[in-house]
Amino acid sequence: MGETIIPLADLRYAAPVPRVPAAAPAPNGLVADRLGRPLHDLRISVTDRCNFRCSYCMPKEVFDRDYKFLPQTSLLSFEEITRVARIFVAHGVAKLRLTGGEPLLRKHLEGLIEQLAALRTPAGEPLDITLTTNGSLLERKARALRDAGLKRVTVSLDALDDAIFRRMNDVDFPVADVLRGIDAAIAVGLAPVKVNMVVKRGTNEHEIVPLARFVRERYGRNVVLRFIEYMDVGATNGWRMDEVLPSDEVRALLAREFALERLEPNANGETAERWRYADGAGEVGFISSVTKAFCRDCNRARLSTEGKLFLCLFASRGHDLRALLRGQRPDGRPWSDDEIAAAIGLLWSERDDRYSELRSAGRAEAGSGERRIEMHYIGG
Ligand code: SAM
Ligand code: SF4
Ligand code: SF4
């Protein structure tokens, strides 16, 4: 079968067309990569656009009026996304996370969720479908999302103080609107809602305790607040190690105010270290991608808005699945699901990415001089 190398559809990031092996066993849900890691989680970016300009993700100076976002024709359609998701599910994926950019900017997203919610694992189970959002449109959309089959939602919220929040989103968006989005998500049954706070030393570390106190008091067990170390994703945010506040320091700040107890992890490959308030008021999590790399359990693949597959958040090279979805075999027939599954299985079985571990060991390089993918493009 052909191994044609089609010219790159979008030159922003290198993405060769995956090789379709001539003979491959049908997916059995057990594919593992070179480090023995299964494929369990697919993150799907549904848009590269966003109505915020968080400086750690889409700094205004870069993502300005002249920035060329992907054209509409480049985006995978909902049918194409669902087809890819179905193939990944056959390989063992049980969890889908929609992200972006801001996923709620994609028109009629509930239509996609409906299609994804109809998929079943090989054992006949529904998928765990979740969404990461900045919360700005959540109040309006929570009910439709839930009705379509969304199970859970993660809301990003970096500060409780309105002035700091407006400065961090850099579009003067008020924090009260995001809080109303969280309220709406809980009200329609999407609880417990995860709330993610990216902590940047010198920017919002004074918000850690006030936000924790607020969440405990207002939401109790309906919200799990998670603190995320500021990461060196992409190449535009001017990341510096001295702006990273290690999770251990965040926890020490919290421990001065609240008694915390460590919890067991509840899923293999879970990125957050879980703790709970000793008084039973709820749970907090710490995502320490910089100081405690968790590559060993990384079972996540990422699909970009225009159908490129990335095997690591820090990759500079994707794999152009859209070329297989829209292209043809050398004999003119479209590629079948089985053939695309075989190509994906081969890619995963050859995966050996572990960027964060190498960074911790002082051995990470930014790839072979190629530009790393940006967070707004691939999602969290
Ligand atoms: N726009 C949505 C949002 O903000 O939730 C979804 C996409 S956003 C890229 C996904 C997550 O990545 C957010 O929780 C955001 O805070 C996080 N993120 C973006 N840049 C980051 C960075 N440099 N370090 C750590 N987390 C980052
Ligand atoms: Fe937009 Fe989310 Fe990036 Fe902020 S973190 S700029 S909300 S995509
Ligand atoms: Fe996974 Fe890459 Fe992050 Fe390691 S650095 S946890 S391999 S995405």
Side-chain angles (χ1 to χ4, degrees), residues 108-119 129 144 147-150:
H108 195 52
L109 189 70
E110 37 309 356
L112 173 63
I113 292 171
E114 235 166 64
Q115 291 187 32
L116 296 173
L119 299 177
I129 305 176
D147 289 349
L150 190 73

Side-chain angles (χ1 to χ4, degrees), residues 56 99-102 132-134 156 198 229-231 233 237 375 380:
Y56 53 69
T99 178
E102 174 45 46
T132 304
T133 171
N134 62 24
S156 304
V198 175
E229 287 177 350
Y230 171 42
M231 285 188 287
V233 274
N237 63 8
M375 199 68 159

